[in-house]
């Protein structure tokens, strides 16, 4: 199928989506699960095969595999993401209640949460944002985010697709710098408090306090250590001061 022409592509996508919506209304069986993709492979709907952005997408992926098994999604760029594009034609063919788009979102949501997967997929909806589709943006966005808890991204041009797909692919291998590990954060805070206590001991500076913490792991274990064990870390003179300071008979 030739999809070089943008108009032909939109019309083709719209008619496919409409047919998918009708099918979804009557078909309640479980959809076939998506294949498990190795990193760098991307599953692409066949309607994109001859589109002008395909060479750009190929630059970021090891392999593109075309399929017509899932007419309601456009790209599967990683083991964690499925992407659907809402074209101008598809948005305009939708009714006031968003029923056609709602059916599409429901199928994407169902596929991403099937029991066959240990980890749910993340649905990403790309909305082709133009002067024509702008009036529908807010209602479709609310439907996507509030009703189906999927990511919603406005797309001004299909030229933005290749870098976006590449980012989704790379995100599966990159640690999120804004995601805090509560356990490690709590440990850091606890260690800081222990260092402050140890540095209150006469003669113990930050260097000696860190050595004690690294050796024994906690204030309780430092207090339970023998003077000989403490001496091996900070020397005899400081070991005696640490033992006296943390002696329970003197501090409790």
């Amino acid at each position: 199928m030739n999809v070089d022409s943008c108009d032909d592509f939109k019309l083709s996508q719209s008619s496919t989506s409409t047919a998918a919506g009708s099918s979804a209304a009557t078909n309640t069986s479980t959809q076939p699960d998506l294949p498990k993709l190795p990193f760098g492979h991307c599953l692409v709907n066949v309607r994109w095969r001859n589109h002008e952005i395909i060479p750009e997408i190929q630059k970021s992926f090891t392999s593109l595999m075309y399929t017509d098994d899932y007419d309601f999604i456009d790209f599967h760029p990683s083991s964690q993401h499925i992407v659907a594009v809402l074209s101008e034609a598809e948005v305009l063919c939708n009714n006031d209640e968003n029923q056609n788009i709602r059916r599409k979102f429901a199928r994407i949501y169902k596929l991403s949460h099937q029991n066959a997967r240990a980890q749910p997929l993340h649905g990403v909806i790309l909305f082709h944002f133009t002067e024509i589709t702008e009036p529908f943006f807010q209602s479709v966005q609310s439907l996507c985010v509030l009703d189906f808890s999927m990511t919603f991204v406005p797309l001004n041009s299909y030229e933005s697709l290749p870098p976006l797909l590449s980012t989704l692919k790379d995100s599966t291998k990159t640690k999120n710098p804004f995601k805090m590990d509560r356990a490690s954060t709590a440990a850091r805070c606890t260690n800081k408090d222990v260092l402050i206590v140890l540095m209150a001991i006469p003669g113990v500076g930050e260097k000696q306090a860190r050595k004690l913490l690294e050796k024994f792991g906690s204030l309780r274990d430092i207090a339970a250590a023998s003077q000989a064990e403490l001496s091996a870390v900070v020397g005899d003179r400081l070991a005696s001061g640490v033992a006296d300071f943390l002696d329970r008979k003197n501090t409790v």
Side-chain angles (χ1 to χ4, degrees), residues 26-183:
T26 57
N27 183 12
T28 57
S29 61
T30 301
Q31 299 162 130
D33 201 21
L34 285 164
K36 294 183 179 179
L37 292 179
F39 179 77
H41 291 65
C42 182
L43 201 66
V44 182
N45 194 295
V46 292
R47 61 175 165 261
W48 291 87
R49 184 189 294 273
N50 296 318
H51 197 275
E52 58 187 9
I53 66 168
I54 289 298
E56 286 299 315
I57 296 176
Q58 287 175 326
K59 292 179 182 179
S60 300
F61 289 87
T62 305
S63 173
L64 300 185
M65 298 170 288
Y66 295 92
T67 180
D68 58 1
D69 290 338
Y70 310 92
D71 54 7
F72 51 94
I73 63 174
D74 294 280
F75 301 96
H76 182 29
S78 78
S79 60
Q80 298 178 16
H81 302 92
I82 50 178
V83 177
V85 179
L86 292 179
S87 68
E88 270 189 348
E90 191 169 6
V91 173
L92 294 176
C93 288
N94 191 42
N95 57 28
D96 292 338
E97 290 77 27
N98 289 321
Q99 289 303 316
N100 293 338
I101 293 179
R102 179 181 290 275
R103 290 189 190 101
K104 181 171 185 172
F105 287 176
R107 297 183 74 190
I108 295 169
Y109 184 88
K110 182 178 180 181
L111 179 64
S112 64
H113 288 76
Q114 284 183 177
N115 293 332
R117 287 186 170 272
Q119 180 179 0
L121 288 161
H122 301 292
V124 180
I125 307 301
L126 307 181
F127 182 95
H128 192 192
F129 190 88
T130 66
E131 291 183 1
I132 299 175
T133 62
E134 183 176 4
F136 307 95
F137 177 82
Q138 187 172 356
S139 64
V140 177
Q141 180 186 41
S142 298
L143 177 66
C144 176
V145 176
L146 299 181
D147 289 23
F148 292 96
S149 301
M150 295 190 294
T151 301
F152 189 81
V153 181
L155 197 70
N156 293 323
S157 167
Y158 288 134
E159 293 177 358
S160 303
L161 255 174
L164 177 59
L165 295 176
S166 179
T167 298
L168 292 176
K169 175 201 68 175
D170 294 338
S171 69
T172 62
K173 293 290 186 179
T174 305
K175 185 176 180 180
N176 186 347
F178 300 103
K179 187 175 182 180
M180 300 293 289
D181 184 339
R182 293 186 179 182

Side-chain angles (χ1 to χ4, degrees), residues 204-220:
V204 176
E206 183 179 353
K207 183 178 179 179
Q208 291 81 11
R210 289 189 181 279
K211 283 184 177 181
L212 288 167
L213 187 57
E214 289 172 3
K215 173 64 177 178
F216 299 103
S218 69
L219 192 61
R220 180 185 296 274

Side-chain angles (χ1 to χ4, degrees), residues 197-198 200-202 204 212 219 222-228 230-231 234-252:
V197 171
L198 292 174
I201 302 173
V204 176
L212 288 167
L219 192 61
I222 295 172
S226 68
Q227 188 161 336
L230 294 173
S231 296
V234 294
D236 293 339
R237 185 178 63 83
L238 281 181
S240 178
V242 171
D244 289 342
F245 187 87
L246 297 178
D247 191 324
R248 291 183 179 181
K249 292 181 181 179
N250 296 330
T251 57
V252 178

Side-chain angles (χ1 to χ4, degrees), residues 186-199 213 219:
R188 286 196 297 271
C189 291
T190 301
N191 290 346
K192 181 180 178 181
D193 293 339
V194 173
L195 289 174
I196 291 173
V197 171
L198 292 174
M199 290 168 63
L213 187 57
L219 192 61

